Amino acid sequence: MSGHVAVVGLGPGDPRYLTPEADAALAGAEALYGYGPYLDRVPPRVGQARYASDNREECARAATALGRAAQGERVAIVSGGDPGVFAMAAAVCEEIESGPESWRALDVTIVPGITAMLAVAARIGAPLGHDFCALSLSDNLKPWELIERRLDAAAGAGFVIALYNPVSRARPWQFGNALALLRRHLPPSTPMVFGHAVGRPDERVEVTTLDAADGKNADMATLVIVGSRETRVVARPGKSPLVYTPRATVEVNA
Amino acid sequence: MSGHVAVVGLGPGDPRYLTPEADAALAGAEALYGYGPYLDRVPPRVGQARYASDNREECARAATALGRAAQGERVAIVSGGDPGVFAMAAAVCEEIESGPESWRALDVTIVPGITAMLAVAARIGAPLGHDFCALSLSDNLKPWELIERRLDAAAGAGFVIALYNPVSRARPWQFGNALALLRRHLPPSTPMVFGHAVGRPDERVEVTTLDAADGKNADMATLVIVGSRETRVVARPGKSPLVYTPRATVEVNA
């Protein structure tokens, strides 16, 4: 019995983001588990099984993979971006804590990856160049009131804000409410970045301002960055602008 | 004249974290610029020049590299971790904004990397599995009062907090003050993770609690993660514990 679980971050999609560590973890697994579209990014290997599941089945997927590992199999659970950021690593830890004692004896390796906010930021400049936070707008797993409290705190204290999961079919109004709340803290000209499917063929990055931003700019594959009062936009002739947050802040109330 | 600037994230240190995109950007450069210890991580290539500078000279380094690119050279500026997180990408954007108009015409590529908080989190579980923020404790570029305000806001609203640059020789008391402030918001048992030189040969990861944490736990190569009220520690016989923050939060005042 030498079961092993790797939770592997694939990065934003294109193989150019896949670290050698992630590639080796995928190659060493007897079976892959994951959300179908993420599994589809991994080239098939002879003799390697793969089990696709839906994107709301994180706990069941983790439990199945852990159960197989406890029987001696080498399994890899794939995750888009980084597995530790709104992704599979926490689900695996939850299952280990609540599951059979034997699961705590398993070798578990978590392989980091390029998470969406880093990929989007790199595409457009350095909007996360100063203090920032990452917040999921999904109220499936926490009360909306808590999300509002965190948006208030983050915008009020001058953090740049990366919004994961801004919109889904089941959550149509939340992003618009978040924009309305942010407008109470930040000037209309605050830069915003909408990064859609960054690192994939249908990539689209849009720079706008808080007053011009609209719920329609975002979908399930969008990562949104809301600047702070310090964030700047540098126009470039014939090129997309650079959006960045300077390293220095002089004002205490920035 | 086809100058090009790549700002390249090396990740935490070991080549297993270097993405293929970063490797290709390094291979395609005629000259590398960077802080000496980061340059030392890049294997030498025949015909490729390299210019080391000190770690407080980000702007001068960026300006030199941009000047060379404006003369037609292909340059790469290397950065530890991710260049967009408390690193070189913002310095490059600052210099482009304030420098000669010709610098705005340069092709600039920013290549993301695994930033320290993702590497440390992966080593220990999934402490960043829920909403979190990244905050530099250095008051070289912002007033200490602003750092305190942000710590208050982040801890008060239930964000997990990743602290970059907790300590340096010139900043001996700041981390201790930050701990004292955090103790006003969070229970003594709040999990903390000290990740020292993660991804390098002298890596050391320590799990402790907010009441037991001490300024001596951190140095210049340490990334500190402060849990939230939700963060959990899962003991494992014969193995290091798993530290994770569950995906779900039920309490509005968490």
Side-chain angles (χ1 to χ4, degrees):
Chain A
M1 298 291 236
S2 60
H4 180 267
V5 181
V7 190
V8 182
L10 301 179
D14 190 277
R16 70 181 183 275
Y17 295 117
L18 190 75
T19 67
E21 185 186 29
D23 197 40
L26 296 172
E30 296 169 272
L32 305 184
Y33 293 80
Y35 175 47
Y38 296 152
L39 279 180
D40 291 343
R41 297 184 191 167
V42 183
R45 286 182 170 87
V46 175
Q48 186 177 64
R50 50 175 68 203
Y51 303 96
S53 41
D54 201 15
N55 68 348
R56 296 288 288 276
E57 297 175 1
E58 288 86 0
C59 288
R61 177 190 308 142
T64 304
L66 287 161
R68 294 296 301 175
Q71 290 171 41
E73 198 167 21
R74 291 184 66 84
V75 306
I77 302 171
V78 304
S79 196
D82 180 88
V85 177
F86 308 119
M88 282 304 296
V92 170
C93 292
E94 287 168 26
E95 292 303 309
I96 290 173
E97 184 171 23
S98 63
E101 190 67 23
S102 63
W103 290 2
R104 299 190 184 212
L106 288 170
D107 279 327
V108 177
T109 307
I110 295 165
V111 180
I114 305 290
T115 182
M117 66 179 166
L118 301 187
V120 171
R123 264 307 174 283
I124 200 71
L128 308 178
H130 198 66
D131 303 328
F132 63 93
C133 68
L135 179 65
S136 170
L137 269 197
S138 169
D139 56 354
N140 291 332
L141 294 169
K142 62 190 166 194
W144 179 252
E145 294 69 25
L146 180 58
I147 296 173
E148 292 201 334
R149 196 155 73 83
R150 290 183 178 165
L151 287 168
D152 277 328
F159 286 98
V160 171
I161 304 172
L163 295 174
Y164 283 72
N165 308 314
V167 172
S168 79
R169 268 186 287 270
R171 296 182 289 103
W173 54 263
Q174 285 84 342
F175 182 60
N177 279 31
L179 288 175
L181 183 155
L182 291 166
R183 289 182 184 122
R184 297 202 291 267
H185 290 281
L186 295 165
S189 61
T190 303
M192 285 186 66
V193 179
F194 289 78
H196 172 83
V198 163
R200 301 197 288 282
D202 53 336
E203 168 175 322
R204 195 176 64 244
V205 180
E206 188 186 352
V207 177
T208 183
T209 56
L210 183 54
D211 64 335
D214 188 296
K216 296 187 191 68
N217 296 114
D219 65 12
M220 282 188 283
T222 305
L223 182 288
V224 179
I225 297 176
V226 184
S228 71
R229 288 169 186 276
E230 307 289 317
T231 305
R232 302 182 62 78
V233 178
V234 184
R236 296 190 300 167
K239 293 186 188 300
S240 62
L242 290 172
V243 180
Y244 81 98
T245 308
R247 299 162 310 138
T249 302
V250 179
E251 294 282 331
V252 172
N253 290 315
Chain B
M1 298 291 238
S2 60
H4 181 265
V5 181
V7 190
V8 182
L10 301 179
D14 190 277
R16 72 181 182 276
Y17 294 116
L18 189 75
T19 67
E21 184 187 28
D23 198 39
L26 295 172
E30 295 169 271
L32 305 184
Y33 294 80
Y35 175 47
Y38 296 151
L39 278 180
D40 291 345
R41 296 183 192 167
V42 183
R45 285 182 170 89
V46 176
Q48 186 178 63
R50 50 174 69 204
Y51 303 96
S53 42
D54 201 16
N55 68 349
R56 295 289 289 276
E57 297 175 3
E58 289 85 1
C59 288
R61 178 190 308 141
T64 304
L66 287 162
R68 295 295 302 174
Q71 290 170 39
E73 198 167 21
R74 291 184 66 84
V75 306
I77 302 171
V78 304
S79 196
D82 180 87
V85 178
F86 308 120
M88 282 304 296
V92 169
C93 292
E94 287 168 28
E95 292 303 309
I96 290 173
E97 184 173 22
S98 62
E101 192 67 23
S102 62
W103 290 2
R104 298 190 185 211
L106 288 169
D107 279 328
V108 177
T109 307
I110 295 165
V111 180
I114 306 290
T115 183
M117 65 181 168
L118 301 187
V120 171
R123 266 304 176 283
I124 201 71
L128 308 179
H130 198 66
D131 303 327
F132 64 93
C133 67
L135 179 66
S136 170
L137 268 197
S138 170
D139 55 356
N140 291 332
L141 294 170
K142 63 191 165 192
W144 179 253
E145 293 68 27
L146 180 59
I147 296 174
E148 291 200 335
R149 196 154 73 83
R150 289 183 179 165
L151 287 168
D152 276 328
F159 286 98
V160 171
I161 304 172
L163 295 175
Y164 283 73
N165 309 313
V167 172
S168 79
R169 269 186 285 271
R171 295 182 289 104
W173 55 262
Q174 285 83 340
F175 182 59
N177 280 30
L179 288 174
L181 182 155
L182 291 166
R183 287 182 184 121
R184 297 202 292 268
H185 292 280
L186 295 165
S189 61
T190 303
M192 285 186 66
V193 179
F194 288 77
H196 172 84
V198 163
R200 301 197 287 282
D202 52 336
E203 169 176 322
R204 195 176 65 243
V205 180
E206 188 186 354
V207 177
T208 182
T209 56
L210 183 55
D211 64 335
D214 188 296
K216 296 187 191 67
N217 296 115
D219 64 13
M220 284 188 282
T222 306
L223 184 286
V224 179
I225 297 176
V226 184
S228 71
R229 288 169 185 276
E230 306 291 316
T231 305
R232 303 183 60 80
V233 178
V234 184
R236 297 190 300 166
K239 292 187 189 300
S240 62
L242 289 172
V243 180
Y244 80 98
T245 309
R247 299 163 309 138
T249 302
V250 179
E251 294 283 332
V252 172
N253 291 314

